[in-house]
Amino acid sequence: LYSSAASDVYKRQHVYTGGKGCVKIWDIGNNNGGGNQGGYNKTPLHQLDCLNRDSYIRSCKLLPDGRTLIVGGEASTISIWDLMATPTPRIKGELSSQAPACYALAISPDSKICFSCCSDGNIAVWDVHNNHLVRQFQGHTDGASCIDISPDGMRIFTGGLDNTVRTWDVREGRQLSQHDFSSQIFSLGYCPTAVSYTHLRAHETLM
């Protein structure tokens, strides 16, 4: 399991899990009483075949509308799914990148912009509604592996396989700061109550 997202839109409780080649949709709110642990059905509601069978999903993000899921992974194309399509969910758009893989995704607070961390080190900024590339942030010298966004959507924070954490101004499209570490960064989270963040490195955790 590389990624997950959750939804309780329309009183449903769904979890979306990304793994090898596909995203599976699970209903965790339907207690079927069938004897499974927790009483939940262990069969997914749907399987979204997003990538080749041997490629992994790296990130999936559910938009607040509860019907749009954005999926990225070990492919140059990021797929946008309509979860409410009938009879089954279907792809309604694609974002085509020059990078061979997407390692992480983030969505702006207004759901208009998608940020993708690319294996070539770039941060791609996408217009979700028109499915086109707005700009790219360039700075990481190896793959950009993780991302978080400030609540106002004005700054993003990215970690990379180049052992750096960088802060970017979204509106001006420029790097604001860079912090260098001794090992690769795999995850980070922005702290809204202070000018700080928590990140996970290859061998240790720092605050």
Side-chain angles (χ1 to χ4, degrees), residues 160-188:
L161 305 182
D162 59 356
N163 304 357
T164 68
V165 170
R166 301 169 189 251
T167 305
W168 309 84
D169 185 303
V170 173
R171 180 171 295 174
E172 297 183 5
R174 64 184 179 91
Q175 182 176 305
L176 298 176
S177 65
Q178 174 179 327
H179 300 275
D180 299 299
F181 299 94
S182 60
S183 57
Q184 296 174 327
I185 312 299
F186 290 98
S187 180
L188 61 78

Side-chain angles (χ1 to χ4, degrees), residues 48-124:
L48 313 181
D49 293 319
C50 306
L51 304 176
N52 293 330
R53 184 174 299 179
D54 294 329
S55 299
Y56 282 92
I57 305 297
R58 293 286 183 157
S59 183
C60 61
K61 292 294 181 180
L62 183 70
L63 268 59
D65 64 8
R67 68 175 300 154
T68 304
L69 187 73
I70 303 180
V71 181
E74 296 174 351
S76 60
T77 300
I78 297 168
S79 56
I80 304 175
W81 290 79
D82 183 352
L83 300 175
M84 302 300 181
T86 56
T88 60
R90 62 175 178 84
I91 293 178
K92 67 176 182 177
E94 292 184 333
L95 309 174
S96 297
S97 171
Q98 294 182 346
C102 167
Y103 289 157
L105 296 168
I107 307 298
S108 64
D110 61 7
S111 301
K112 294 180 179 179
I113 299 296
C114 173
F115 303 91
S116 63
C117 289
C118 303
S119 56
D120 61 6
N122 292 334
I123 313 299

Side-chain angles (χ1 to χ4, degrees), residues 17-36:
T17 58
K20 198 171 185 179
C22 67
V23 171
K24 294 181 179 180
I25 304 176
W26 307 87
D27 184 356
I28 63 170
N30 181 20
N31 190 325
N32 61 15
N36 293 329

